[in-house]
Every structure is written in structure tokens, then in C-alpha cells.
Amino acid sequence: HWLGTDHMGIDMVSLLVEGLRASLHVGFLAGIVATVVGTLIGVYGGYKGGLLDDVLTVATTLFLVIPSLIVLILLSSSLEDGRSLSLIALIIGCTTWTWSARAVRAQSSSLRGRDHVSLARINGYGTLGIVVLHILPYLLSYIFMVFILQTATGILSEASISMLGLGPYDSVSLGKILNEAIRNEALTDGAWWASVPAM
């Protein structure tokens, strides 16, 4: 047992490997959901402009001012039964898409007036064709960076709510390892191996 065992005698390395797998699953799924939703809203609003862009910007700002961790805690605590990794990931993704939508919207809005977009409009491309063929390719590297940041946000959000005891029931995650260490007073007993590797 390289990192010792927990209070039940379970190997900490095995728990960490399982916890990393679960946390990465939540992070990737939450990152995909948040990036896709934010990119669709941001690109479409940034390209169309006008009243539609104003409505989407106001809606995004309304979601942005609500603290996502508070919403996540409220939703997780209301789901007493059936809290799974995938459900937690979907909730995280649906509460953290706002800043990616604003960032992608700004980039899309700057591309709207470029010559190649105007030429595509003259050639008869519709909104969908222009967005998919002439705006999204220029934003792929930026969207990938947004996905990486959203994945990290998903992992940290899951660890936060699991540490509070509101995470998934059916699996071990890094936050759940920390929650178990706190509940079993591993820190006051000096058992650093029960919590430090999961941090």
C-alpha cells in the first residue's frame, strides 16, 4: 500500500485511480456540454447581431450573475435519489456555459464583418452555411481552449459538491475521497495520505 489505506482498510492508490477516472468522466462530459451550448449560442448571436444578439446577451448575462456553485448545490441536494456521475456532469455543463458563450460571441462578432464572410453572403450562403463553413473554422483553436477550461471547471465543481457530500452515490471521486477524510477525522488524526493525494 504505497499511500496507506483509508479507515476501512481500502488501498488509497486504488481509490485515487478510481477517483481520477470518475472526476475525468465528469469533467469531459461537463466540458462537452458547456462548450457545445456556449458555442452554439455565442456563434449564432455574434453572427446575427441585432435584436436576437441583444436577447441572447441579456439571457447569458442573467445566467452569468447567478452563482453556478449555488445552483449546483441546490440542484444536487434536491436530487436525493439517482445522483449519478453523468447527471452531475450534465448539471455542471448546463450551469457553466455562460462565460464560454460570451467569449465565443465576441470572437464571432469580430468575424462577422470580414471580407470572406461578406463574399459568402453575396454568393448565397445561408446563416447555417456561413456559420459552419466560414466562422467556426476560424474559432476551432479558441473553442478547444474553452473546452479545456470548461473541463477543468467541471472537475473542480464536481470535487466541490462531492466534498460537501452532494456528489454521486454510485462511484468514488476525488471529492468523495476528501469528504470521507473529513467525515472520519483523518486530518485531525494526522493521516495525511487520506486527503493530500486527492487534492
Side-chain angles (χ1 to χ4, degrees):
H1 305 293
W2 291 354
L3 291 174
T5 60
D6 67 356
H7 66 289
M8 298 289 288
I10 300 173
D11 182 35
M12 284 302 300
V13 173
S14 301
L15 285 175
L16 279 174
V17 170
E18 183 64 23
L20 281 171
R21 184 198 65 78
S23 294
L24 285 173
H25 170 77
V26 171
F28 280 127
L29 187 55
I32 289 170
V33 170
T35 303
V36 167
V37 172
T39 299
L40 289 176
I41 292 173
V43 167
Y44 191 72
Y47 170 71
K48 291 298 279 186
L51 180 61
L52 178 64
D53 184 32
D54 292 340
V55 169
L56 290 176
T57 301
V58 167
T60 303
T61 305
L62 285 176
F63 276 99
L64 191 63
V65 297
I66 300 170
S68 60
L69 184 61
I70 301 298
V71 174
L72 189 57
I73 289 171
L74 292 173
L75 289 175
S76 296
S77 61
S78 67
L79 298 171
E80 288 297 328
D81 298 322
R83 276 198 311 245
S84 65
L85 284 173
S86 298
L87 182 60
I88 294 294
L90 287 174
I91 293 172
I92 292 171
C94 290
T95 56
T96 58
W97 58 269
T98 49
W99 66 266
S100 60
R102 287 177 62 92
V104 171
R105 181 213 162 270
Q107 298 294 322
S108 176
S109 180
S110 70
L111 288 171
R112 181 177 58 194
R114 297 276 177 92
D115 292 339
H116 69 281
V117 175
S118 300
L119 188 59
R121 200 178 295 118
I122 291 171
N123 286 334
Y125 280 91
T127 300
L128 183 63
I130 291 174
V131 167
V132 171
L133 298 175
H134 298 282
I135 291 180
L136 275 180
Y138 287 89
L139 297 177
L140 284 180
S141 61
Y142 192 77
I143 292 170
F144 182 72
M145 180 208 56
V146 166
F147 168 71
I148 297 297
L149 293 175
Q150 290 285 17
T151 300
T153 301
I155 292 171
L156 291 174
S157 298
E158 185 278 328
S160 300
I161 62 167
S162 291
M163 195 170 71
L164 295 173
L166 298 172
Y169 291 125
D170 58 350
S171 59
V172 176
S173 66
L174 296 179
K176 196 163 186 180
I177 293 172
L178 294 173
N179 177 263
E180 290 290 325
I182 293 169
R183 280 179 37 199
N184 296 300
E185 300 181 355
L187 299 177
T188 56
D189 291 342
W192 59 268
W193 57 87
S195 61
V196 171
M199 291 182 189

